[in-house]
Amino acid sequence: MYYKGMLKEHSSIVNVFLRAIDWIAIYASGVAAFYLSGVSAFFEEMGQTGLPESYIMVVLMVVGLSAAVFPVSSVYRVWRGAPLIEELRQLSIGWVTLAFIMAALALMTKTGAQYSRMWGGVWFLLGWTTLLTSRIVLRFLLRWIRSQGFNQRQIVIVGTGNLAREVAERVTAASWTGLKLLGFFGEPTEKDRSAARGLPMLGDMDALPGFLEANSIDQVWLAMPLREEDTVREVLYDLRHSTADIRFVPDIFGFSLLNHSFSEVAGLPVLDLSRTPMVGLNLWIKEAEDKILALIILILTSPVFLLLALGVKLSSPGPVFYRQERVSWNGEPFMMFKFRSMPVDCECRSGPAWASKGEARATPFGRFLRRTSLDELPQFINVLLGHMSIVGPRPERPVFVDRFKDEVPDYMKKHMVKAGITGWAQINGWRGDTDLHMRIEHDIYYIEHWSLWFDLKIIFLTLFNGFTHENAY
C-alpha cells in the first residue's frame, strides 16, 4: 500500500519530471530538425560538422523561454480528470506562442537571415509533434498506473441530493481519473439510498470528522446547492483539523453558462458564470491571428479586389463601398465595409430590411457578389482596423439587435467576442434568412470552445463551403 501511494505523495516531483521532458523534447527536436531539414549538409560543405554555436544558442533560448511561457499557458496545471484534448490544446497554444515570440525577436533584432527558415519550419512541426506525443504517452501511462491501483485519490461526498448523485455518476464513470469514491455523508431520503450507484451511506454530517481521522481520505467533495451556505460553513468548521483537500461542487448546472471557471481577483475567489475567452494570452493570439491573416489575404486578393471595385462602379452609379453601422464586441457599434450590391437609395423608402431570398433590391452584379460572398471582402479592412475578427459571430445592425435581444435567448452573448467575417454558424449553413435561434446556438458554441485551431478549422472549411451557399443572397 505504501508503494501505491508514492506517486500521489510525490506529485510535485512528477510535475518537475514533466517539465524536464518538455525541455528535452524541445532541444532534441531542434537538433534533429537541423539534420532532417538538410541544413547540416550546407555547413558540412563549409567544413563545419555538428550544430553551430549560433544555432545551439537559439535552441537553448527557446528552452529557457518555454520555462516561462508554458506555465502562463496553463501547461503545467493539474490535468487529472480533464479531457486530453484540452491538455493538448493548452500545450499547442504555448508552443505557438513561443514561435510567435521567436519570430518577433528575429524581426526586431534583424537576425532572422542568419538562420535557415527550413530549419525553423521543420523544428516547429517536429517539436510540436514531439511535445504532443509525449503528453499522449504520459496520459495513457498514468491511466494504466491508476488502473493498477497506484496514484489513486480516495474521496467522499458530502451531500445526498440530485447534485451528489450527478457527481457520483461522473466520478465512478471516469475511473481513469484515479478518483476512488468511497461513499456519501448526509441525511438521505429513501430515494437517495436507492440512487447512489450501490455506494454506501457512510454516516451523517457528525460522523464525517471521525471517519476522516480513522481512514486515509485525500479529498472531501461538498456537493450542495448554493442556498445551503450555512451547512457548508458547519462542515468546514467540523473539518478544521483535517488535512484532506476540501472541494466545493456548487449546483450551477441549471444556469446558462459560458466559459464558466474559477478565478482570483484582488485575492478574492470568484466563480465566473459567463465570461469572454478573449482575455490575457488568448486575446494576444487572436489579435495576432487576425492582423497577420487579414494583411496576407488583402495582399493576395488585391487584383480581385480592384476588379470587383471596378465592377461595382460600372454596374450602378454611386460609391464602391457600402458603409453600414453594425454591432461588435461588448455591443460597441462600428461602420462595416462591403462592396455595394444595391442602388444607393434602395432603403430610403423601405427603411432597414432583413435580407431574404428572392428579393429584387440587389443589382445583377450585386447578386453575383452576394451569392459568392465576395461583397464581404472589404471587411478584412475592418479586421485590420480592429473592428472585427476573421472568425466570429456575424455582426448585426443596431435596429435588429434591439429587436432580437428580447426574442432570442442569450442573443447578446454573441457580443462577448468580436464580430467575424465567417463563423461556425455560417459554415454550417445558418446564414441569411435562416433560423436565428440555431445561428445563436452555433455562435455560443464557438465562444465556449474557442481556440486558435478552431479558428483555423473554420477558415479552412470556409474555403470549401463558406463562399457559395444556397442561403447566401
Side-chain angles (χ1 to χ4, degrees), residues 387-404:
H387 302 147
M388 297 178 65
S389 287
I390 295 178
V391 181
R394 286 296 295 163
E396 198 46 76
R397 301 169 73 170
V399 61
F400 294 123
V401 172
D402 289 338
R403 180 198 303 177
F404 298 143

Side-chain angles (χ1 to χ4, degrees), residues 277-345:
M278 297 306 149
V279 294
L281 184 62
N282 287 352
L283 178 60
W284 187 89
I285 293 173
K286 182 72 166 175
E287 288 291 326
E289 169 201 341
D290 285 336
K291 296 297 191 295
I292 294 172
L293 292 182
L295 184 60
I296 293 173
I297 290 171
L298 283 173
I299 292 173
L300 293 178
T301 61
S302 56
V304 177
F305 198 101
L306 293 174
L307 287 175
L308 294 178
L310 181 62
V312 172
K313 198 65 177 176
L314 295 176
S315 64
S316 66
V320 170
F321 295 133
Y322 174 59
R323 299 171 70 250
Q324 189 179 77
E325 187 179 31
R326 297 289 179 104
V327 178
S328 187
W329 196 7
N330 292 326
E332 291 294 326
F334 72 101
M335 298 305 296
M336 187 180 77
F337 302 124
K338 300 178 70 171
F339 280 125
R340 184 172 55 83
S341 60
M342 301 183 297
V344 292
D345 59 350

Side-chain angles (χ1 to χ4, degrees), residues 369-385:
L369 291 176
R370 289 188 176 188
R371 283 196 303 270
T372 58
S373 298
L374 289 172
D375 60 328
E376 314 284 359
L377 195 57
Q379 288 164 38
F380 286 101
I381 299 175
N382 286 117
V383 175
L384 286 179
L385 294 175

Side-chain angles (χ1 to χ4, degrees), residues 175-228:
S175 58
W176 52 269
T177 61
L179 297 173
K180 184 178 180 181
L181 177 57
L182 301 184
F184 301 84
F185 284 88
E187 302 294 338
T189 63
E190 289 302 317
K191 178 182 177 182
D192 295 325
R193 291 181 187 277
S194 62
R197 288 186 61 92
L199 294 167
M201 288 301 305
L202 301 173
D204 56 19
M205 302 288 191
D206 295 335
L208 179 59
F211 184 87
L212 296 185
E213 186 175 347
N215 297 273
S216 177
I217 304 301
D218 299 291
Q219 299 176 6
V220 178
W221 289 24
L222 309 183
M224 302 177 181
L226 293 172
R227 64 178 178 274
E228 295 191 16

Side-chain angles (χ1 to χ4, degrees), residues 62 65 69-70 92-106 120 123-125 128 284:
V62 174
L65 283 173
V69 172
F70 280 8
S92 298
I93 289 174
W95 183 239
V96 171
T97 302
L98 276 177
F100 273 120
I101 292 174
M102 292 305 296
L105 287 174
W123 184 17
F124 175 80
L125 295 176
W128 185 30
W284 187 89

